Amino acid sequence: MVSLRLPPTPTVRDIIKLYRLSAIKQLSQNFLMNEALTDKIVKSVGKIYNSQVLEVGPGPGGITRSILKKNPKKLIVVEKDQRFRPILDLMESIVSASDVDMTLIYNDIMSINTKDVFSFKEKKEWNDECPNIFIVGNLPFSISTALIIKWLHAISKQTEAWSHGRVRMTLTFQKEVAERLVADVMENQRCRLSVMAQTWTLPKLQFIIPGKLFF
């Protein structure tokens, strides 16, 4: 096994300046540049060593770096914004010398069948333990609710990624949406989204990210 150790690279903040990138308001983009925070997010995902990971919306690659440090077997990255292609292509070329199989998909996550991106070698029956497959993402806020509803429907049908078993997700949401997902009966935030999420999953609010850490 070859352990992945990325060579010294510019920080995410430096990369954004180098490529003159900015978050596009119309796409509800938000960047996380604090490495301690992205490491914390990835730590909350669980043991991703030698696993398959799908990252949604990597942008300049902050969470991507934190994932790669944990040596997954396969990392699939889905990014709609072509401005990030030079950064992600460079990261893929660096990773190619390691045991990590990194695949870049430049497309809209809403139009992708997540069943097709994972190897069926990790497939589990629904009532077995969870497969060694994870979905991670700092979601653009404009699509987060629509995407989780789409995925909850897939979970209910055991389709898309969940045709491989009970695939786990770690995702960022606006604070209000996150509170609705986990709201208990009789709480003010309780709504249809709460019922849907809690019918098909066991949602847990891991932690609140301070607004000042979003760029």
Side-chain angles (χ1 to χ4, degrees), residues 101-117:
D101 177 10
M102 184 172 178
T103 301
L104 304 178
I105 301 173
Y106 294 101
N107 203 342
D108 186 346
I109 188 61
M110 293 292 289
S111 64
I112 290 176
N113 185 339
T114 51
K115 172 185 176 180
D116 300 328
V117 303

Side-chain angles (χ1 to χ4, degrees), residues 167-191:
V167 172
R168 288 160 285 187
M169 299 178 282
T170 302
L171 307 167
T172 62
F173 292 93
Q174 287 171 293
K175 182 172 179 288
E176 295 77 11
V177 177
E179 289 173 343
R180 290 176 192 138
L181 287 166
V182 300
D184 205 348
V185 177
M186 302 305 292
E187 289 185 350
N188 290 336
Q189 294 277 40
R190 186 76 172 181
C191 62

Side-chain angles (χ1 to χ4, degrees), residues 27 57-58 78-84 105-109:
L27 298 179
V78 178
E79 175 56 62
K80 179 181 179 180
D81 193 338
Q82 294 281 341
R83 295 180 304 152
F84 299 112
I105 301 173
Y106 294 101
N107 203 342
D108 186 346
I109 188 61

Side-chain angles (χ1 to χ4, degrees), residues 30-45 62-63 136-141 170-176 178-179 204-215:
N30 56 87
F31 302 153
L32 295 174
M33 301 193 224
N34 185 296
E35 187 175 351
L37 172 61
T38 58
D39 286 349
K40 182 179 180 181
I41 291 171
V42 172
K43 183 178 179 180
S44 72
V45 174
I63 293 179
V136 183
N138 174 32
L139 303 179
F141 292 152
T170 302
L171 307 167
T172 62
F173 292 93
Q174 287 171 293
K175 182 172 179 288
E176 295 77 11
E179 289 173 343
K204 178 182 178 183
L205 180 57
Q206 295 280 19
F207 53 88
I208 304 295
I209 301 174
K212 64 182 180 182
L213 295 182
F214 287 101
F215 173 75

Side-chain angles (χ1 to χ4, degrees), residues 194-207:
S194 318
V195 176
M196 291 172 61
Q198 293 169 37
T199 297
W200 299 110
T201 71
L202 298 173
K204 178 182 178 183
L205 180 57
Q206 295 280 19
F207 53 88

Side-chain angles (χ1 to χ4, degrees), residues 1-128:
M1 181 195 76
V2 178
S3 178
L4 176 61
R5 185 174 181 180
L6 294 177
T9 54
T11 66
V12 174
R13 190 178 296 274
D14 289 339
I15 286 174
I16 287 173
K17 290 181 180 178
L18 177 66
Y19 288 94
R20 299 181 180 179
L21 297 170
S22 61
I24 297 179
K25 187 174 182 180
Q26 290 89 338
L27 298 179
S28 300
Q29 290 177 332
N30 56 87
F31 302 153
L32 295 174
M33 301 193 224
N34 185 296
E35 187 175 351
L37 172 61
T38 58
D39 286 349
K40 182 179 180 181
I41 291 171
V42 172
K43 183 178 179 180
S44 72
V45 174
K47 294 183 179 181
I48 63 174
Y49 169 75
N50 208 32
S51 68
Q52 298 184 67
V53 181
L54 168 63
E55 184 190 1
V56 181
I63 293 179
T64 313
R65 294 183 183 202
S66 295
I67 293 172
L68 288 171
K69 286 192 290 185
K70 296 296 185 179
N71 284 84
K73 179 192 300 181
K74 183 177 181 66
L75 173 60
I76 307 102
V77 174
V78 178
E79 175 56 62
K80 179 181 179 180
D81 193 338
Q82 294 281 341
R83 295 180 304 152
F84 299 112
R85 183 186 282 269
I87 302 168
L88 297 173
D89 284 354
L90 175 61
M91 199 172 296
E92 182 187 32
S93 67
I94 294 172
V95 169
S96 63
S98 74
D99 286 342
V100 179
D101 177 10
M102 184 172 178
T103 301
L104 304 178
I105 301 173
Y106 294 101
N107 203 342
D108 186 346
I109 188 61
M110 293 292 289
S111 64
I112 290 176
N113 185 339
T114 51
K115 172 185 176 180
D116 300 328
V117 303
F118 298 114
S119 166
F120 271 87
K121 292 181 180 179
E122 300 290 345
K123 178 179 171 61
K124 301 285 186 182
E125 295 302 321
W126 191 254
N127 292 322
D128 290 345

